[in-house]
Amino acid sequence: STDATCLRHMYLSVLFGTGLACATAQAFFTLLFARLLPDGIWRREPGFLAHQAVGLPLMLIVAGVGTVAWFFPDEASQKLAATPEGRVHGDFPTSDWLVSLLLGELLLWDIPMSAFPSLRSAASVGHHVMMALACVIALQPYLLYYVPFF
């Protein structure tokens, strides 16, 4: 339907917008910490510090939106979640938004940041790749009801 198509376009905009915003902020903060600020501890690992400066606000937004969606769902979400079928295969707009945001930041920013040695570990890369896979699966829609909890 037209509404579903519009929503998918919106979620793609969220995905690409978030990923590009994170990558741009990463570049800005890395430059700031490496070159623009006076000499200091931030120059030791400017890419790592920039990653933290981008990641913390993003995770606070995700945690805030997820908390509100989980504890205070709207009426339509409550009705859909009333059945096992709805919880497993239902389409929950807030969860779609969260998954789109996370997939964008993972694919376009977080996973590519493993090019920085200070951000590269098997556990971190594995975590980010598996989270991206979980996001792709959730967008089927599959288990979107549970997305705000995690």
Side-chain angles (χ1 to χ4, degrees):
S1 76
T2 305
D3 289 342
T5 302
C6 287
L7 281 175
R8 291 294 169 205
H9 287 287
M10 182 187 75
Y11 297 135
L12 282 174
S13 296
V14 169
L15 186 152
F16 286 109
T18 301
L20 294 175
C22 289
T24 301
Q26 175 78 34
F28 169 77
F29 282 122
T30 300
L31 177 64
L32 177 71
F33 298 142
R35 303 265 187 248
L36 301 177
L37 290 178
D39 198 20
I41 194 168
W42 42 83
R43 289 213 176 162
R44 289 187 196 158
E45 293 288 346
F48 178 82
L49 185 55
H51 185 269
Q52 304 313 303
V54 175
L56 178 62
L58 184 67
M59 292 301 109
L60 290 174
I61 290 167
V62 168
V65 171
T67 298
V68 170
W70 185 255
F71 288 108
F72 309 102
D74 60 34
E75 192 173 320
S77 294
Q78 288 178 1
K79 186 176 179 181
L80 186 58
T83 66
E85 178 69 22
R87 288 190 299 274
V88 172
H89 297 289
D91 203 357
F92 295 84
T94 302
S95 296
D96 267 331
W97 183 85
L98 283 167
V99 168
S100 298
L101 181 134
L102 289 168
L103 188 58
E105 69 90 6
L106 287 163
L107 293 179
L108 301 176
W109 171 65
D110 226 350
I111 293 171
M113 285 301 101
S114 64
F116 283 95
S118 60
L119 296 171
R120 186 181 328 130
S121 73
S124 177
V125 173
H127 164 75
H128 291 123
V129 169
M130 294 310 289
M131 285 300 302
L133 180 61
C135 289
V136 169
I137 291 168
L139 286 173
Q140 298 312 307
Y142 186 68
L143 300 174
L144 275 174
Y145 168 74
Y146 298 99
V147 166
F149 184 80
F150 293 100

